[in-house]
């Protein structure tokens, strides 16, 4: 008797194909990258130095994705020290395991590789990534991160003729290990040696200030067309004013939020911040035009060399750029202009976000605040003989075992859930003190900057609403000045010296999330903490399981297996709750075919 067709190999494989098509092809698309971290020698300021390259390039490649894409990045660490990559502004919804900071991840050891796998869920916008350990960002390893909207979602502007990523930042000729040693010795880093634009030094606009032979950045454009230019400050600690000679910068988006569109002749971009502009090439082409990123809130005559200069080149340009640079804002000793400029950046509440609903559909101004934290910085202090930076009197000490991993394995004594709601009044101390956030709470955070320099503050896992800023000490009466309607939602905000900035956060993303200054020197010296958000009802809907490739360190080092460097292919199932079913089906069918 003939065997039934239902048990034939061809029929069973057809069933498997249909299953995979149903649960894999219907998933959101995946974009994949391979990052090989190495040292190379470069001379961005005319002096050979060691920089951190990705795939042999400095800066690294721009990650180009679309809303809801799965992003897979395999990192091979060929440095001589551990590395972690963090994705500033990518909210890692339900998955702080992929955040790439010491509170969530064990470092990737030298000669190892590790794969990040996350979804850019319900996000659009302009961001960047960088190495988060050991001051490495000061030597490179950074790149842009773009999330395009889905084609079915309208944007509040016409499609530009081109999309250009520009990374600006202050730069030292000393590499990150030398800078780290300077801080460990209790000394400040001093004035940077220059400003880079996309990893290149300044155009020789001045024969005295700029030596011959330096490679500069050139952006090629067509006359009459409009381009989207995304600008990120990836530097160490210097706020930069960005401008393009004779061209208006029409601000369109910042860190995932469309803005009310307004023209600026220049804009202050603080460390860790990203803006995107629409720039129309509406000038005559008698010559090229300067692109400038210059240091702010410093003695400009002393800091003249801390200026990045590139070239905007029209295809029909008739000559080189010449003459003096376009002027920066004339407020060297008065930050009022800059603060008013920051206040003018508003949320476009009528524009569609990543989903088909207006950004302003979330009425943040009418939600009751459930918890308030006043977080104050002060000038560096000495604790136990070491120079340290503090938030609210606490200098953070990263634990040997990441906080999220300690929670997973129910380890005790790794950290304390006791970060104060108001600054401590006693002597400063070094501790692993964490903010105990309430799941689905609504938190108000006031950053009070009692230093004499500008700071930028960033919170992983969230976009927060910047609702107010002002000079002096924040008080309860300051709430009367809050913008409760169209304050910009972003991930990094500036806090002016001797001033405060207030933000509101909806705590709907379960995980452990880094709160830090983006000023690398103060961050390295302890000016950070974490917000821990736990859903008391454990389920995979609010937090994904620990990834199967999680690294172990600290008290859990004994669980770490040696790196498997064999070339064998590993099958990974990303079918959510159906992945295990697919695996079992394969095993079942294999058994039938034997």
């Amino acid at each position: 008797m003939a065997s039934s067709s239902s048990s034939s190999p061809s029929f069973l494989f057809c069933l498997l194909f249909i299953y995979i098509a149903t649960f894999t092809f219907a998933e959101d698309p995946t974009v994949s990258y391979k990052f090989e971290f190495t040292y190379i020698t470069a001379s961005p300021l005319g002096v050979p130095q060691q920089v951190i390259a990705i795939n042999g390039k400095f800066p690294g490649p721009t990650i180009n994705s679309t809303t809801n894409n799965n992003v897979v990045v395999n990192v091979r660490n060929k440095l001589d020290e551990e590395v972690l990559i963090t994705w500033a502004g990518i909210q890692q919804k339900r998955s702080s395991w992929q955040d790439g900071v010491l509170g969530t991840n064990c470092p990737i050891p030298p000669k190892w590789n590790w794969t990040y796998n996350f979804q850019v869920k319900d996000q659009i916008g302009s961001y960047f990534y960088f190495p988060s350990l050991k001051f490495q960002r000061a030597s490179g390893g950074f790149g842009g991160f773009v999330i395009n909207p889905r084609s079915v979602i309208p944007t509040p502007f016409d499609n530009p003729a081109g999309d250009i990523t520009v990374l600006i930042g202050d730069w030292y000729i000393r590499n990150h290990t030398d800078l780290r040693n300077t801080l460990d010795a209790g000394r400040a880093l001093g004035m940077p040696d220059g400003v880079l634009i996309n990893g290149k030094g300044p155009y020789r606009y001045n024969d005295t200030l700029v030596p011959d032979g330096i490679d500069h950045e050139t952006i090629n454009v067509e006359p009459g067309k409009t381009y989207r230019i995304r600008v990120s400050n990836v530097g160490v600690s210097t706020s930069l004013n960005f401008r393009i000679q004779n061209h208006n910068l029409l601000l369109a988006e910042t860190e995932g939020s469309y803005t009310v569109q307004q023209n600026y002749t220049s804009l202050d971009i603080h460390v860790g911040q990203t803006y995107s502009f629409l720039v129309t090439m509406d000038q005559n082409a008698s010559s090229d035009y300067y692109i400038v990123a210059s240091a702010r809130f410093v003695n400009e005559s002393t800091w003249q060399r801390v200026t990045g200069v590139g070239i905007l080149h029209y295809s029909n340009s008739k000559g080189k750029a010449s003459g003096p640079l376009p002027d920066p804002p004339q407020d060297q000793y008065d930050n009022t202009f800059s603060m008013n400029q920051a206040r003018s950046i508003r949320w476009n509440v009528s524009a569609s976000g990543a989903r088909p609903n207006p950004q302003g559909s979330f009425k943040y101004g009418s939600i009751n605040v459930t918890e308030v934290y006043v977080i104050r910085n002060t000038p560096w202090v000495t604790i136990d003989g070491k120079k340290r930076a503090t938030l609210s009197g606490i200098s953070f000490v990263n634990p040997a075992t990441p906080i999220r991993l300690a929670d997973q394995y129910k380890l005790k004594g790794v950290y304390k859930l006791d970060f104060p709601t108001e600054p401590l009044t006693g002597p400063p101390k070094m501790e692993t003190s964490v903010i105990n956030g309430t799941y689905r709470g609504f938190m108000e955070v006031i950053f009070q900057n009692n230093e004499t320099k500008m700071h930028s503050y960033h919170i992983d896992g969230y976009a927060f609403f910047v609702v107010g800023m002002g000079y002096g000490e924040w008080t309860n009466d300051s709430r009367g000045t809050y913008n409760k309607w169209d304050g910009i939602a972003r991930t990094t905000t500036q806090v002016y010296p001797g001033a405060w900035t207030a933000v509101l956060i909806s705590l709907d993303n379960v995980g452990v999330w880094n709160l830090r200054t983006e000023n690398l020197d103060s961050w390295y010296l302890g000016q950070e903490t974490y917000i821990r958000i736990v859903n008391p009802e454990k389920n995979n809907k609010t937090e994904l399981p620990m990834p199967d490739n999680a690294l172990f360190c600290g008290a859990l080092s004994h669980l770490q297996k040696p790196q498997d460097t064999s070339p064998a292919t590993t099958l990974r199932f990303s079918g959510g709750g159906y992945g295990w079913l697919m695996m079992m089906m394969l095993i079942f069918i294999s058994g039938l075919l034997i």
Side-chain angles (χ1 to χ4, degrees), residues 33-47:
Y33 292 84
K34 291 183 179 180
F35 281 8
E36 184 175 271
F37 275 71
T38 60
Y39 295 118
I40 63 170
T41 299
S43 305
L45 295 178
V47 178

Side-chain angles (χ1 to χ4, degrees), residues 180-222:
R180 203 168 64 207
N181 291 337
T182 298
L183 293 173
D184 288 340
R187 302 191 303 271
L189 298 180
M191 184 172 63
D193 297 298
V195 169
L196 304 190
I197 299 179
N198 283 346
K200 299 176 181 178
Y203 172 79
R204 201 177 190 198
Y205 71 98
N206 181 304
D207 292 349
T208 302
L209 292 173
V210 183
D212 192 18
I214 290 180
D215 189 21
H216 64 270
E217 177 69 347
T218 298
I219 296 176
N220 296 303
V221 295
E222 295 292 330

Side-chain angles (χ1 to χ4, degrees), residues 304-331:
Q304 271 188 297
R305 76 182 190 205
V306 190
T307 302
V309 182
I311 292 297
L312 184 74
H313 174 75
Y314 280 51
S315 61
N316 60 343
S317 175
K318 298 180 178 65
K320 295 182 177 180
S322 61
L325 301 179
D327 289 332
Q330 301 300 303
D331 63 342

